[in-house]
Amino acid sequence: MGDTFVQAKVSPAMVRPQMSELTKIVKRATEEAGFDLAGIAPAADAAELKHFPEWIAAGRAGEMKYMQALDDQGDLKRASLARVAPWARSVVVCAINYNTTNPYSTEVHDSSRGWISRYAWSRDDYHDAVLRRLKQVEAALQQAVPADLQPALTTRSYVDTGPVVERVYAKYAGVGWIGKNTCIINQKKGSWLFLGVILTSLELAPDTPAPDRCGTCTRCIEACPTDAILAPYQLDSNKCISYLTIEKRGSIPEGLRAGMGRQVFGCDICQDVCPWNRKAPASAAPEFEPRPGLVNPALAWLAEMSAEEFRDVFRGSPIRRTKRSGLRRNAAVAMGNSGNKEFLPLLDQLAGDEDQSVSQCARWAKTRLAGSTE
Ligand code: B12
Ligand code: SF4
Ligand code: SF4
């Protein structure tokens, strides 16, 4: 969750002479920690942030309450870093590639199988994998600061949960541009990147913002099955399959179920079709290698998973976020969209499930499948 911090007594004049030396040390530390990309952004409020309150006001965050967290003055925490962390002078933005040499969701067509998004196959939850590395960089930064300045130094590391719209700072740190699908894309690495940020009271030398290289392309907007990308750079979470399969609790709005296809956790489509991911390199980090069975998983396996098996298979995995209930609900929807009538007996069984969100989606899936001509 976002925090509000008291301004630390740091005198920018005191640190400026060491700025370039410290910047070099930080950059080296990000490499040593295993990040693929890193850059420095000023902690100022960037122009893109003015869209954030509009986005919240339009209800685009759906039920994600943490996105709507307010500070003591009643303002949205994430709308202004200058307000919520006035002591911060620089944001160190780090990115790590999580891509592996496995197919894209747009390349697999077995109707008995579903899709778990690429980022969630890994052995470690990315929050842990990224935070561990950020802490290493943070420690190097703290060590590099002269002893007399250390009492005035404040640093905070975040992956997702800080009061920071990470992609905006990633752009200004030169890590990548914000694509029309709203993801950060790097010219060499593509967009299979996790981001992490370190806020610091130090003034470090900022990088140049990454230029937008989407050009006239609109592939992601056209490929999105639920029309969740309302316009370039504008995503409605309520319609996004990633939100529906991971964040949405209870049942899934009926009108959106058909568009979900066979996605059971997250969605990669708007990145799979992006030309900048055509030659995306594989990650060097071993912890992003997939767990067995998660690349293009069997839908029946997921739908029939006992509580015990769910615990075993997904121990320490980001998939725990949707819980067993969410995963089985999503698998039921996916079976309904599969056109594969072999799922009818299993859906019959799930239609009587004690979990309402599962039984509701299974009943819908049965009807859809029975009427399917595939
Ligand atoms: C909430 C959230 C979601 C939500 C909402 C996504 C969204 N687009 O906002 C949901 C659940 C849908 C989601 C899905 C995914 N997420 Co997410 N998510 C977040 C989180 C926690 C906050 C994002 C946020 O603040 N959104 C608010 C909106 C307003 O911001 P935005 O869409 O980025 O919009 C900015 C720009 O578009 C900009 N803008 C720029 N130019 C223009 C021009 C105009 C005209 C306008 C209007 C706006 C505009 O304005 C906005 C800022 O105010 C971040 C972590 C973090 N703390 O930042 C991770 C994060 C963005 N997610 C991430 C990932 C990996 C994903 C998924 C790929 C997971 C998956 N495979 O299912 C999908 C991708 C879907 C997509 N196309 O974005 C990564 C992205 C890495 C990257 N390369 O960009 C992040 C950074 C997590 C991390 N630490 O690595 N996510
Ligand atoms: S993640 Fe999927 S549903 Fe969400 S915007 Fe991208 S293609 Fe659309
Ligand atoms: S698919 Fe095209 S428009 Fe969409 S993010 Fe990639 S380059 Fe940009």
Side-chain angles (χ1 to χ4, degrees), residues 157-313:
S157 292
Y158 294 113
V159 186
D160 279 5
T161 52
V164 192
V165 184
E166 291 168 3
R167 297 194 273 200
V168 170
Y169 292 92
K171 170 188 167 176
Y172 285 91
V175 166
W177 72 95
I178 300 174
K180 290 180 190 170
N181 60 8
T182 78
C183 292
I184 282 290
I185 309 170
N186 178 275
Q187 199 180 353
K188 294 208 173 95
K189 308 273 178 188
S191 69
W192 308 115
L193 300 167
F194 290 129
L195 302 177
V197 294
I198 305 173
L199 308 188
T200 169
S201 55
L202 288 173
E203 270 199 67
L204 299 170
D207 283 279
T208 311
D212 189 329
R213 294 181 194 273
C214 281
T216 54
C217 175
T218 49
R219 280 168 201 250
C220 52
I221 301 173
E222 283 145 25
C224 175
T226 50
D227 298 325
I229 309 173
L230 304 177
Y233 319 105
Q234 293 187 53
L235 181 133
D236 184 355
S237 303
N238 298 290
K239 291 178 154 187
C240 178
I241 298 167
S242 180
Y243 168 81
L244 294 169
T245 54
I246 303 173
E247 303 288 335
K248 178 84 181 72
R249 301 287 168 255
S251 198
I252 290 172
E254 201 169 326
L256 291 165
R257 291 178 196 159
M260 286 168 58
R262 283 179 278 117
Q263 324 299 319
V264 288
F265 188 89
C267 170
D268 289 335
I269 295 169
C270 58
Q271 296 185 87
D272 284 347
V273 300
C274 179
W276 294 97
N277 281 335
R278 244 179 242 149
K279 291 182 186 158
S283 176
E287 66 261 53
F288 300 132
E289 275 307 314
R291 293 178 185 222
L294 297 197
V295 180
N296 203 198
L299 289 171
W301 175 53
L302 301 178
E304 290 181 302
M305 208 172 251
S306 68
E308 199 184 8
E309 191 178 5
F310 183 88
R311 260 197 314 275
D312 285 350
V313 173

Side-chain angles (χ1 to χ4, degrees), residues 44-99:
D45 289 344
E48 287 80 359
L49 281 181
K50 77 173 193 303
H51 299 300
F52 185 77
E54 296 161 8
W55 190 78
I56 296 288
R60 308 274 187 249
E63 294 165 14
M64 294 183 288
K65 289 274 173 279
Y66 68 97
M67 295 295 293
Q68 299 157 41
L70 303 178
D71 64 17
D72 295 342
Q73 276 71 50
D75 295 313
L76 286 164
K77 283 188 176 179
R78 288 173 187 246
S80 167
L81 192 54
R83 210 171 43 228
V84 81
W87 51 268
R89 293 287 171 272
S90 312
V91 185
V92 183
V93 183
C94 302
I96 190 161
N97 171 8
Y98 63 84
N99 188 33

Side-chain angles (χ1 to χ4, degrees), residues 21-22 27 40 43-44 60 84 121-122 126 176 186 200 223 229 251 275-276 305 314 319 341-343 347 367-368:
E21 189 48 35
L22 278 172
K27 293 266 179 85
I40 314 288
R60 308 274 187 249
V84 81
W121 298 339
S122 60
Y126 75 92
N186 178 275
T200 169
I229 309 173
S251 198
W276 294 97
M305 208 172 251
F314 299 117
I319 294 175
K341 291 203 163 91
E342 285 174 17
F343 284 131
L347 283 170
T367 312
R368 178 163 164 79

